[in-house]
Amino acid sequence: MAVPSSLVKTDIDVQNSTLLEDFPKRIWTTGPLSPMRIKKEDADRVRTWMDLNMEYRYELLTDGSAETYVKDHFPEHSKIRQTYLSLNDFIMRADLIRYLALLQDGGVYNDLDVGCLRPIDLWIPPAFKDNTSVVLGIEVDNEMGPDRSKLFELVNWTIMSRRNAPFMRFLVDRVIGNLEKDAAAHNTTLANLQPKRQEVIDVTGPAALTEATFQYLSEKTQTTVNMHNFTKMRRPKLVADILVLPINAFGAGHQVQWSGTDEDGSALVHHYFAGSWKTTHFDGPTEEEKKAEEAKKNEEARKKQEEEDRKRKEEEDKKRREDEDRKKMEEQDRKKKEEQDRQKKAEEDRTKIKEQYEKKKAEEDRKKKAETSNQQIAIENQPTTQSHNADGVQGKGQEQGQPNPQGDQEQQNGQQQDGEENQDEAEEQVQAQQAGQAREKRSNAEAVKAREKVSLSVLEQERRKAIEEFNRVNAVRTKTREEAIKKIQTDRGRDVEERKKDEENKKKLAKMEKSKAKQREQQAPVHNVQPAPVQG
């Protein structure tokens, strides 16, 4: 049965009925620690509320201050006070204290991991403001998704309410009743109640809020109100005194709910899902969670295998590069040794040639000196022989004792003339010998110079060949070394790039894993609200 149009208002059709009191300018949140001890990321989110809503008073209810608040504001309501103070489960307490604070003082409640995107004063369209006592948002609306599953749930991480709103009174009574039934079902007390995750959602959390909303509106409108009244909403809808905003308002960015994004301008808050209560209220994995866990293990095994393969490949590449470098060094050492041996042999050959040349030259010098000495002795001996011959002739004439003065004179003159002729001949012979010796000396000198020139030419050619060969080998060795260095640098650069890519892939995979884990948390089963029976 449809809700009567007189009780359902849109942004086009609003009656002029008004509520007496405006929304209080107060912002509530809960947390285990004092404002001075909260984490930096939580403090940054708190600052978004203060910066965008400077006229609002911000209050953080810790575990201790929440008890004080209940004792100070609910002394006469023994059931509320007794229920809250008896309850020990911290997350159920956090759910209940937000409803109590909004009932008593009104304002806006938000979890500590929720950031404000737009000022609170802009949340309610002007046409709805005078007729709204509570503002709610949608968390899950899978009717909008491709699977068309019947899953719908309202948000309880952000709620806006006036003081003493009738719905908040109805909600508190409904939640207290749920707690009593849950304790009785477990045959225990509120103090000893240890709820599982789904139990928290159904008894005090968003499922409890959703059921209470449908029941309250059904009673107010005398019709059946359920998810079909709010699914696929694109604009705010006011039913009775409760304004329900489209899913983008409080649930933007929550991918499981097909909710849109913060960037399209329709988001009012952003929930960062930083709470850890689901890990402390674990009721065993669902089939979907089991599959997700199995997929996670398979992915981890795959990553581990890939990492092992990568490390093995790196080791093989490293060993291969080391072997290549070792072979290159061995080849360089071999070429260097060959060059050294070649230079050593060339030096030995040059030394041998030099020794042979010096030995040959010494032998020629020795022969030359011997010839010169023999010639000098011969020259010195020639005059002495002629003198002895003249003396012998004269002595022979005297020994015969034949006095012949005229003959003696003639003989004497003839001997003198012969002596002079012999002396001239001797001198000519000496001069001829000296000229021959000079020619021989010059010839020997020219021969020596020629031999020296030939030897020096051979040595110079050998030296030049040795230098050219050395330069060639050195150039080859330098080029080989440069190529080896360049290849090593290239390989190292490639290794660095591969490591960078591996690190980037690791980060991407870690981010994907984190996102998948977050989605798995968000996809935790929520209460499936069944249509209430039609009343009236």
Side-chain angles (χ1 to χ4, degrees), residues 320-331:
R320 175 180 56 78
R321 289 193 299 270
E322 289 177 351
D323 291 341
E324 290 177 354
D325 293 342
R326 178 179 55 77
K327 290 179 180 179
K328 288 179 181 178
M329 294 302 295
E330 289 177 352
E331 180 66 15

Side-chain angles (χ1 to χ4, degrees), residues 207-481:
L209 171 65
T210 303
E211 282 190 356
T213 301
F214 291 162
Q215 185 175 353
Y216 173 82
L217 293 178
S218 295
E219 292 179 4
K220 283 288 183 180
T221 62
Q222 294 300 304
T223 60
T224 299
V225 178
N226 53 36
M227 63 175 289
H228 297 293
N229 297 100
F230 304 103
T231 190
K232 300 182 182 180
M233 281 175 47
R234 296 300 181 185
R235 296 181 299 175
K237 180 180 287 189
L238 180 64
V239 180
D241 61 334
I242 296 180
L243 180 65
V244 180
L245 302 177
I247 192 169
N248 288 13
F250 292 166
H254 194 180
Q255 296 177 4
V256 178
Q257 282 68 47
W258 314 95
S259 57
T261 64
D262 295 344
E263 290 76 14
D264 62 13
S266 60
L268 305 179
V269 302
H270 185 89
H271 189 202
Y272 291 89
F273 295 95
S276 60
W277 71 271
K278 290 183 180 180
T279 60
T280 60
H281 295 72
F282 186 64
D283 50 359
T286 62
E287 288 300 320
E288 184 177 356
E289 290 173 335
K290 288 179 181 178
K291 291 180 181 179
E293 184 65 23
E294 183 67 22
K296 182 180 178 181
K297 289 181 180 179
N298 293 337
E299 181 67 14
E300 290 176 351
R302 183 186 65 80
K303 289 180 181 179
K304 184 177 179 181
Q305 184 63 39
E306 288 180 352
E307 181 66 15
E308 291 177 354
D309 293 341
R310 185 186 65 80
K311 289 182 178 179
R312 183 171 62 254
K313 186 176 182 302
E314 286 181 353
E315 290 295 327
E316 291 175 353
D317 292 342
K318 182 180 178 181
K319 185 176 180 181
R320 175 180 56 78
R321 289 193 299 270
E322 289 177 351
D323 291 341
E324 290 177 354
D325 293 342
R326 178 179 55 77
K327 290 179 180 179
K328 288 179 181 178
M329 294 302 295
E330 289 177 352
E331 180 66 15
Q332 291 176 0
D333 292 341
R334 184 186 65 77
K335 290 181 178 179
K336 183 178 179 181
K337 187 174 184 303
E338 289 180 353
E339 176 63 16
Q340 290 175 347
D341 293 342
R342 192 194 65 76
Q343 292 179 356
K344 182 178 179 181
K345 186 176 183 303
E347 184 64 27
E348 290 175 352
D349 292 341
R350 286 194 295 271
T351 302
K352 185 176 180 181
I353 291 171
K354 185 177 179 181
E355 289 176 351
Q356 291 176 351
Y357 169 74
E358 291 177 349
K359 184 177 180 182
K360 186 175 181 181
K361 184 179 178 182
E363 181 65 22
E364 291 175 349
D365 291 344
R366 185 184 63 75
K367 290 180 178 180
K368 182 180 177 182
K369 288 180 181 180
E371 291 176 357
T372 304
S373 178
N374 292 334
Q375 290 176 359
Q376 187 66 31
I377 292 172
I379 293 171
E380 290 176 354
N381 291 335
Q382 282 181 1
T384 305
T385 305
Q386 292 174 357
S387 176
H388 286 310
N389 290 335
D391 292 341
V393 173
Q394 185 178 4
K396 186 176 179 181
Q398 291 177 357
E399 287 176 1
Q400 290 177 357
Q402 293 178 3
N404 188 4
Q406 184 178 358
D408 292 339
Q409 184 64 35
E410 291 175 358
Q411 185 178 3
Q412 223 174 14
N413 292 335
Q415 291 177 351
Q416 183 176 358
Q417 186 177 359
D418 293 337
E420 289 176 356
E421 292 176 356
N422 292 333
Q423 186 174 357
D424 292 338
E425 291 177 359
E427 288 177 357
E428 289 176 358
Q429 291 178 359
V430 169
Q431 288 176 356
Q433 290 178 354
Q434 289 177 349
Q437 291 174 356
R439 284 193 302 272
E440 185 177 0
K441 186 176 182 181
R442 284 195 301 271
S443 178
N444 292 335
E446 290 174 357
V448 169
K449 287 181 180 180
R451 285 193 297 273
E452 289 178 352
K453 186 175 181 180
V454 172
S455 299
L456 290 175
S457 177
V458 172
L459 291 174
E460 181 64 20
Q461 289 177 0
E462 289 293 331
R463 187 181 70 82
R464 288 180 180 177
K465 287 182 180 179
I467 292 173
E468 290 175 358
E469 181 65 17
F470 174 78
N471 291 336
R472 184 188 66 78
V473 174
N474 191 44
V476 172
R477 183 172 55 196
T478 301
K479 183 178 179 181
T480 303
R481 186 186 301 110

Side-chain angles (χ1 to χ4, degrees), residues 19-26 28 57 59 69 72-74 76-77 98-108 132-135 159-170 216 241:
L19 298 173
L20 296 177
E21 187 176 332
D22 200 358
F23 285 90
K25 293 185 178 299
R26 305 184 73 169
W28 301 89
R57 175 182 174 184
E59 296 193 36
Y69 181 86
D72 291 345
H73 293 85
F74 299 96
E76 72 277 10
H77 300 292
R98 74 188 66 185
Y99 306 144
L100 296 179
L102 291 175
L103 170 63
Q104 179 65 27
D105 290 310
V108 175
T132 300
S133 63
V134 175
V135 179
I159 304 173
M160 186 175 183
S161 175
R162 298 181 192 268
R163 290 184 69 251
N164 294 316
F167 172 70
M168 297 309 301
R169 172 73 61 180
F170 182 89
Y216 173 82
D241 61 334

Side-chain angles (χ1 to χ4, degrees), residues 99 136-137 151-156 167 170-175 177-179 181 198-220 223-227 230 242 526-533 535:
Y99 306 144
L136 300 175
L151 196 61
F152 184 92
E153 196 168 82
L154 296 173
V155 168
N156 84 327
F167 172 70
F170 182 89
L171 176 61
V172 168
D173 291 341
R174 178 68 177 261
V175 168
N178 290 345
L179 287 169
K181 291 178 183 178
Q198 189 59 45
E199 204 172 339
V200 172
I201 294 172
D202 292 340
V203 175
T204 62
L209 171 65
T210 303
E211 282 190 356
T213 301
F214 291 162
Q215 185 175 353
Y216 173 82
L217 293 178
S218 295
E219 292 179 4
K220 283 288 183 180
T223 60
T224 299
V225 178
N226 53 36
M227 63 175 289
F230 304 103
I242 296 180
V526 296
H527 188 75
N528 188 1
V529 180
Q530 300 294 332
Q535 298 182 3

